[in-house]
Structures are given as C-alpha cells and as structure tokens.
Amino acid sequence: MVSKYTMLRVFLGSFFIQSAWSFEKMQGLGFAAAISPALREIYGDDEKAGNDAVKRHLVYYNAHPYMASPVIGAVMRLEEKARDGERTPPAPAEFKNKVMGPYGAIGDSFFWSGLRPLASCAGAAAAIFWGIWGPVIFLAVYNTFHLWMRWNGLKKGYTLGEGVVGYIKGLDLPAWSIRARYAASAMLGLLAASAAARIPVSAGRVHAAGWAVATVIVVSGAAFLLGIFFKKGVSIPAIIYAAAIPLIVYGAVSGF
Amino acid sequence: MTAEALYDAFKVSLAGGLLSLDRTAALQTMVSRPIVAAPVIGYILGNPSAGLIVGAMLELIFIGDAPVGRYIPVHETDLSVMVAAMTITIIDAMGLNSGVESGRRLIAAGVVAALPLSLVAMLPLSRVFHLADTFTRRANLRFFNSAQGAVENGVRISLTMENLKGLALFFTTNALALFLVSAPALFLSRLIFSRTGLHWRLLPAFAWCAVLGMAVALNAVYTDKRGALVFAASGIAAAIAFAFL
Amino acid sequence: MIILVRVDDRLLHGQIICAWVPFMKADSLLVASDEAAGDSLVSEIIGSCGYKGLNVYVKSIDDAVGRLRGDGPAKERTILIVGDLKDALRIYDMGIRFTSINLGNIHHEDGRRITPYLIVNREDEEILRRFRRMGVSIDVRDVPASPPAEYIPMMEEGRR
C-alpha cells in the first residue's frame, strides 16, 4: 500500500497532467510526472525496477484530464500486482492503452458536453438575478463533480485495479450527460425569459412577460437556423460578423 | 494616456496569462471560462459589472467548443480577457464610469455600445492567441524528450520539474501574446472613444449578440425534441411568473 | 444505414462521441475491429460509452459486415468506426458500399505526415489510391468543426 502522503502527491500531480501538453505525446509527460512518486514508492529500494516503471509510463497518453485519475489509481494497483509477480491482471501499460480512448469519450461526453454547459447556463441565469454570484454558482456546480472525480476516481482506481472499469460503467456517465443537457435546456429557458424581462424597454409586468415569451420564440428559431448553418460549415465567428457589423454600422450612422 | 494604456495592458496580460493556465496547463477548474475570466478582468480594471455582462454573453457563445483530442478550439479565455478589457476601456474613455455621471444605467449603456464593437474587433485577433498556443504545444515536445532521455539513461530527474517547464512556457507565450494585442488595442480604444458618446443606438447589435449566445447554447445542448420542449416550457413558465409575481 | 465511415486508430473516443455523433445525428456506433471484439475488457469499456439514444456495438469485421448486410435494424443511423485503412478496405471488398471515408486518426511511425493526426505509410497510400479509383471521396477531418485538410496522394514512384 502506498502511504497517504504519496496518494496526496499523486492527487496534486493529477491537476498538472496537461502542463507539458504536446501534439505528439499529449498528456504523456504529465501522466508520468503524476504517477512517478507512487511508482518510486511501490518499487522502493529497487532503483532499476522503479526506473523501468517510470520509463513504461513516459509514453503517449491522452484522455479527458479528470478521467486520468481512475486510470492512475488502477495503474498503481496493477504495478503493485506486477511487482508481486501476479500473472492474472492485465499489464499496467497495456491496460492504460486500452482504456484511454473510451475514457476520453466518457469524460468528454459527461464533463464537456453535459456538466459544463449546465454549469454555464446556471451561472449565466444566476448572473441576471444575483450579479457576481453567477460565476460563483458556475464554479460550484462544476467543481463539485470535477473534484469528486479526481479524488474518488483515484481512490477507487487504486482499490479496484482493473475492476475500476466496472465501477465507471456503473456510474452511467453518458446517461447523466443527457440528463444534464435537459437541465441545461431548462436553465436556458429561464435565462432567455429573464434576460428579456430585464431590458429597459419593458415597462410593467405584463409587458415584461410579453417580451419574455417573444425572446423564447426568437431564440428557438435562431437555434434552429444555426443548426442548419453549422451543418453547412458556417462558423460562429462568421455568424457574429454577418449580423453584428451591419448593426454596428447602422448604430453608428443613425446617430449623425 | 499611453502610460495608462500600457499599465492596464500589463495587468491584463499578467492576469490573463494566469487565468489561461487553467484552460490547459493546470487545474481545469474552469476559472479560464469567460464567465469567470471576464469579471476578474473587470475587477482588475475597476468595472466588475461590465466584465460580468461580457463574461455571461461569451460563455454562452463559446459554450460548446471543447478540446477533444488534438482539436484546439478558439482561445475563449484570451478572447474574453481582451473583449472585457476593451469594453471597459471604451466605457472609461467615454467617461461613463467616472465623475458625477457614473451609475448603473450608464455602465449598462456603455456595455451595450462597446461590447459588440470589442467582440468584432477582437475575434480576428484571436488568431494570435491560437498561434501562441500552438507554438507552445509544439515546443513542449522538447520537455518530454529530455525527460525521456534522462529516464532511458537511468538518470534520476524530477519529472515534475520537466512537466512544469511546459506550464511556464504556456504562461509566457500566452501573456506575451496578450500584451502584444492588448497594448495597441487599449491605447487605440482610449484614443478613439475619448470624445464619443455612442449610447443606446447600438442596442440592436448588443441584442443580436445576446440572442446569438442563447441560440448557440440551445443548439449545443440540444438532444431531441424533448429538450426543445423543456426549454420552451421553462421559458414560458418563467414569463408567467414574471406577469403574476 | 451507414452515415459515416471513420478510420481512427483510437477507435471510440471523445471526438466521435462529442463532435461527430451530434453533428451527424447518429443513433448507433458500430466499432468493427477483430482486436477490440476479441478483448472482453476493451469491448466492455467501449460498450459503456452508449446511452439511451445511442447504441454502441463492438463487433469483429465479419460480424459487423453481417450486421450491416441487414441483420441489424436498417433504420439506425450508424457511424462505422474502423481502426485502420486495411479494415476499411476489407469491409468495402466484402460488399459494404460507401461513397466517402473520413480519416480521423492514423499514426504510422514511419509514414508521411499530412496533419498532426494523420501519418500514413505506403500501404495506406496504396489503399487510399484504390478507394479513389473506386470513387470513394476522402475526407480528412478530426472533428466536423476543423477545416478539412486536403489529401494529396504521394507521387506514384519516387519523390516524397
């Protein structure tokens, strides 16, 4: 068993897994740097074996940054088993190679496509009502899950070894990603309505409600059109230029 | 005026460089996202509320672009830092955030006037940030190779130190790119807008950016027809609440 | 129905789930790889990327072709993922027709570098030439949002 102190060092190292991100090796150096304190401890006095272990892990690696934690944990356990001469488990380097692609997919789909948009929409909606608390809520919603995955993932990986695969599967993150997107849609509805009710032209409650409904309809229509444009390969900057420049010129010229 | 612009550019580049580290090199706690980065710049330049409006809007516009694999999206951190800095500088130059006239309404008017302009001006320049970023990601291979060389030869080195050299490079290139863009941008903003007063006439351009942000976000979280229904239902429920509460 | 054929040596990962699936409105992913299908750990992990609304299948090349021939539900909008060009050609030669092939990730150590994610060796170039002759267009893109890179085949002999 590695010590609590080493576990903490690996945990902190996991926050720097992309510090030396490069096109060729991606998170390779970061992964090796994060796990090396554990490898040195696992192989203890056997300097050569420790060095070989570090060498094994100083290779191309890429997945979602948070999903490295369960992998690092599992690899630590597998390295221990390898040291003890157990033959049954998959070799650590091989295990790492097999899981990185799918774990990248699971992490990207939950954190980038599900949780972060939800936190963004919640934060932006909160900013309308409570100002500077908006960003605070954004960070709180997002990082609760983020930090949980980094810490809990590392611990579970170390406890379960290759069995962490079943654990991650059991979390059913892809399904939660879809749920998060429904929740984000709800937040956006609230956001659209409140943003409209806040613009200064609306006077009176019923008036504000009318603006709110109008905005919800306009945003739905715009989102539908955007879907068509994106499909045709039009980029977001292009859409911003196309509409904003004429409107700016109009605004500037109409003043004279 | 030049000294002020340079000092602001210096502060913005330093803070932006640090915030950007969170985007790739370290932590990934999302303080690099527009909704956090822009208000921080606002706080540094003495106008957090303007920063917050910029942040919320850019957060939505760049909601879906994620770093998957080797694909590197628009540098949303540097872009938000620059849009916030330029918006606030324009507001200052127009005299809306100082003296007897300052107030919430005026700041709002300033944001309306300055945000679309700043966004349109800064978007093409985000290419500079992209280049700095790409350069770093190429150069970082060097640290990997030197670490590998040491390990192969059985030399015991600190991988952590080699790894952190990448982080230092990320910071340096990014902060330099930010300074390169922000120094002239902030100076010109002060120069051009010191005698202008563009108030509510730019509301349509501002409203367009807001609608676009929400539409991009809706498009990004779209799953199926049920998602669209959830959006509409929640919006209309909120509208009814506004009417009666 | 096959809506996209993707060559990716990392098989299933974030670019496919987060970018291609929503872009193509896919509701099924078919990973055709003898190696992955023969490894229970790999098929379990790849399988766990699915959710309600996205079915993920990991099959050997033969089983995948069987499924595509009509054993599987024909209505599913399927993204077919193969690990390398050899497998893509094998599937094509077994009678599964497609008009375009997306090159996502190919890293062959000693190959020619076209983009950071696409390094092709002589054998790959030969297969790509064959695909071209058969009228299959070649789409070099890691994610839908990135600008498509042009694939220019290497000169027939000599000149690199």
Side-chain angles (χ1 to χ4, degrees), chain A residues 111-167:
Chain A
F111 289 102
W112 293 161
S113 306
L115 180 62
R116 201 179 73 190
L118 172 61
S120 298
C121 294
I128 291 179
F129 293 106
W130 303 306
I132 217 73
W133 284 100
V136 175
I137 288 171
F138 164 80
L139 289 174
V141 169
Y142 186 82
N143 285 304
T144 307
F145 295 94
H146 158 209
L147 296 174
W148 176 82
M149 178 52 87
R150 290 238 209 222
W151 176 246
N152 191 55
L154 182 64
K155 257 181 23 188
K156 285 282 178 198
Y158 187 50
T159 320
L160 300 170
E162 76 270 29
V164 78
V165 168
Y167 172 73

Side-chain angles (χ1 to χ4, degrees), chain A residues 23-24 26 60 62-63 90 94-95 98-106 108-110 112-113 162 165-166 168-169 172 174-175 178 181 230-233, chain C residues 9-19 22-25 35 39 41-52 77 105 107 109 113 116 144-145:
Chain A
F23 282 108
E24 278 81 0
M26 297 173 98
Y60 165 87
N62 192 52
E94 194 191 328
F95 173 79
K98 284 177 180 171
V99 296
M100 68 180 171
Y103 276 13
I106 292 175
D108 287 347
S109 106
F110 178 69
W112 293 161
S113 306
E162 76 270 29
V165 168
I168 297 287
K169 190 177 180 180
D172 211 7
I178 298 292
R181 288 164 77 164
F230 288 159
K231 195 104 208 169
K232 296 213 162 122
Chain C
D9 52 18
R10 295 172 62 203
L11 295 177
L12 184 52
H13 59 111
Q15 294 184 338
I16 295 165
I17 290 273
C18 292
F23 184 74
M24 301 297 297
K25 296 206 166 42
E35 205 181 323
D39 186 322
L41 183 71
V42 172
S43 12
E44 185 184 358
I45 313 170
I46 295 181
S48 66
C49 294
Y51 49 87
K52 196 168 152 279
R77 293 176 59 81
N105 283 285
H107 303 88
E109 289 286 316
R113 181 189 157 117

